[in-house]
Amino acid sequence: MLLSTILLAAEDMGPNPIAPEGKELFWGAGTFLVFLFVMRVFLVPKVRKGMEARYGMIRDGHESAQATRSAAQSDVAAYEAAIAEVRAEAAGRVEKARQTLDSERQAKVAEANARIAAKRADADKSLETARTAARGEVAAAVGNVTSRAAQLVLGKSPDAAVVKRAVDATMSGGHS
Amino acid sequence: MNQLSLLAFEFPPINMLLRWQDVLPTVNKVVLIGFASALIGMGIFLAAARKDPKKAPKGARNLAEVIIDFIEKQIIMQTMGPSGLAWTPFLLSIFIFIYLSNVPGVIPIIQMPATARMGIPAFMALMVWVVYNATGIKHQGPLGYFKSVLFPPGVPKALYILVTPIELISTFIVRPFSLAVRLFANMLAGHLLLVIFALLSEALFQARDRILIPVGVLPFAVLLFLTGFEVLVAFLQAYIFTTLTAVYINMASHAEH
């Protein structure tokens, strides 16, 4: 009784909605297999090939850009090396010129110093000569005055040699 | 026809929602959606293939390349590695066909995912079952494949009494069954939810008792939300089916160490 009721109810509900339907399974399978065949054999390889070609082109472009960049970088390095060489050469020349100027300056300074020293020596010599002459004259004058004073005091002329020695000793002592 | 009635709300018999009259001999709405899925998929790739590949991709070509990239980078490289790239056309076809069969569930007027009927999911799962077993036999030989599946290395021999029947049922019965049922059940559930909320909104908007009319906004809002959610589910189910197919093929290709 119960079983027949359930069966009747199931019959009323119609076919099982979960069970696959033959025509849908068949057409679904056929459609997908045709789709898979067309995609696998024709379409995907063609699109993929196009993608690969474009990626290759982009890769080549990158490589070319990289090569250009490397070439530019080596050009810049060569330019910088040339600049450094020129700068070093210029610095060398400047240093050489500076050394030349310095040696010339030192030579001229030495020459001037020598001239000054010679003039100074000449001046010193003249001065010494004049001083000696003046000293002789002063000593002679002092000797005369001393002799005259001694003559006036003692009434006789003192020995000229003694007076000279005494004047010299006095002047030397006074000088020193 | 039996109808479920709750107050004034009447739910039609489920077969009325799922079984469609033939428009041509043996060709119903579900079959037509299958045809359309294949034709649209082929149309996109045909249009893509006819465009100059050297120019920056746009339109159909861009779409086709995005799909190929998605399948290769997000599915194949994640599950199979570079050796799986040869499977791109197969996995791509599965993904596109399932996705385009799922999406009509949220397209106005059509509003029926072809995968909410068991035919297409059952065939797809069966095909995947054949493919991964054939791949396993091809790569490891029949004996090596069945040995690696039924007697996984590293398991104590005493446990084979337990493990071997589990692996046998899991690999050869549960996998295809779960693949088919996961796709079918998700799409069917989504379809029924949309129908329920659409009918409920209609019933409330047309209620004799005028106080119920504003209440119809609530199921209508849920209907809108579920429609958006089904767009996501349509993609997700195609993605899951394709990913699991890739995983099964990869497992069959390489013996466990």
Side-chain angles (χ1 to χ4, degrees), chain B:
Chain B
M1 280 192 210
N2 279 359
Q3 289 190 332
L4 282 173
S5 297
L6 186 65
L7 299 174
F9 175 66
E10 289 181 346
F11 194 79
I14 194 159
N15 276 321
M16 192 181 156
L17 299 174
L18 299 175
R19 289 183 179 271
W20 299 86
Q21 296 294 318
D22 289 352
V23 287
L24 293 168
T26 72
V27 175
N28 61 11
K29 187 173 177 177
V30 172
V31 174
L32 284 177
I33 292 169
F35 289 165
S37 303
L39 285 174
I40 292 168
M42 283 191 279
I44 291 168
F45 274 76
L46 193 65
R50 294 176 79 173
K51 290 195 175 179
D52 183 4
K54 287 179 182 171
K55 288 182 181 169
K58 54 184 181 179
R61 171 129 211 137
N62 189 36
L63 180 63
E65 290 193 9
V66 165
I67 298 170
I68 289 176
D69 268 351
F70 172 74
I71 296 294
E72 288 188 343
K73 287 177 184 160
Q74 301 302 321
I75 295 179
I76 295 175
M77 293 304 286
Q78 304 293 325
T79 56
M80 305 171 90
S83 63
L85 289 173
W87 288 96
T88 300
F90 178 68
L91 296 171
L92 182 80
S93 302
I94 288 178
F95 178 81
I96 291 173
F97 189 71
I98 292 177
Y99 178 70
L100 291 176
S101 298
N102 288 349
V103 150
V106 291
I107 295 175
I109 300 171
I110 305 175
Q111 282 167 324
M112 173 69 198
T115 43
R117 300 286 295 141
M118 193 54 166
I120 290 175
F123 164 72
M124 301 293 280
L126 193 67
M127 180 194 61
V128 168
W129 184 83
V130 170
V131 166
Y132 76 71
N133 281 317
T135 306
I137 291 168
K138 186 185 166 193
H139 281 82
Q140 302 178 47
L143 201 66
Y145 175 60
F146 288 111
K147 194 182 162 194
S148 77
V149 169
L150 299 177
F151 302 98
V155 177
K157 285 188 177 170
L159 279 179
Y160 282 143
I161 299 166
L162 200 63
V163 170
T164 302
I166 290 172
E167 287 293 335
L168 177 74
I169 293 166
S170 158
T171 307
F172 298 109
I173 298 166
V174 172
R175 268 189 198 174
F177 184 76
S178 68
L179 261 184
V181 170
R182 184 185 298 107
L183 175 60
F184 161 69
N186 272 288
M187 298 318 297
L188 176 63
H191 180 59
L192 292 180
L193 272 174
L194 292 180
V195 171
I196 288 168
F197 280 95
L199 291 175
L200 189 58
S201 303
E202 187 193 23
L204 287 169
F205 284 138
Q206 293 179 348
R208 284 179 199 165
D209 193 352
R210 291 195 171 194
I211 200 163
L212 287 175
I213 293 173
V215 182
V217 172
L218 292 174
F220 187 70
V222 176
L223 177 65
L224 290 180
F225 170 75
L226 285 174
T227 303
F229 184 67
E230 281 304 308
V231 174
L232 178 70
V233 170
F235 170 79
L236 208 60
Q237 288 306 317
Y239 174 70
I240 290 169
F241 195 101
T242 313
T243 303
L244 286 173
T245 302
V247 169
Y248 295 157
I249 291 170
N250 187 53
M251 283 169 76
S253 310
H254 304 97
E256 287 182 43
H257 298 290

Side-chain angles (χ1 to χ4, degrees), chain A residues 2-176:
Chain A
L2 180 66
L3 184 66
S4 60
T5 311
I6 293 169
L7 285 173
L8 272 174
E11 220 169 78
D12 284 349
M13 293 287 282
N16 185 348
I18 292 175
E21 212 171 335
K23 61 188 176 192
E24 290 172 6
L25 189 73
F26 170 77
W27 281 116
T31 310
F32 178 76
L33 290 176
V34 169
F35 177 61
L36 176 63
F37 176 78
V38 173
M39 293 289 277
R40 173 77 184 82
V41 177
F42 303 109
L43 299 177
V44 175
K46 196 166 181 191
V47 174
R48 201 80 191 79
K49 198 176 162 189
M51 286 169 77
E52 289 299 330
R54 197 176 67 254
Y55 291 164
M57 211 168 69
I58 292 166
R59 227 176 358 254
D60 289 349
H62 271 291
E63 281 169 9
S64 165
Q66 188 60 40
T68 308
R69 182 181 294 161
S70 300
Q73 278 172 346
S74 64
D75 283 353
V76 167
Y79 169 76
E80 281 174 352
I83 289 280
E85 196 180 331
V86 169
R87 277 186 183 152
E89 196 182 332
R93 285 185 182 179
V94 167
E95 179 64 18
K96 201 174 171 184
R98 196 188 61 75
Q99 282 176 355
T100 307
L101 283 174
D102 200 37
S103 61
E104 281 177 4
R105 188 182 61 80
Q106 280 178 352
K108 285 188 175 175
V109 166
E111 194 183 329
N113 283 341
R115 276 203 310 272
I116 288 165
K119 283 186 176 176
R120 181 178 287 165
D122 286 348
D124 285 350
K125 202 175 169 182
S126 303
L127 187 66
E128 191 56 37
T129 306
R131 183 185 288 163
T132 306
R135 188 183 177 98
E137 285 174 8
V138 168
V142 170
N144 288 337
V145 170
T146 304
S147 294
R148 187 70 185 148
Q151 190 181 8
L152 288 174
V153 172
L154 298 173
K156 63 174 184 178
S157 295
D159 186 9
V162 173
V163 171
K164 190 177 182 305
R165 259 199 322 271
V167 169
D168 286 343
T170 303
M171 285 183 71
S172 300
H175 181 70
S176 64

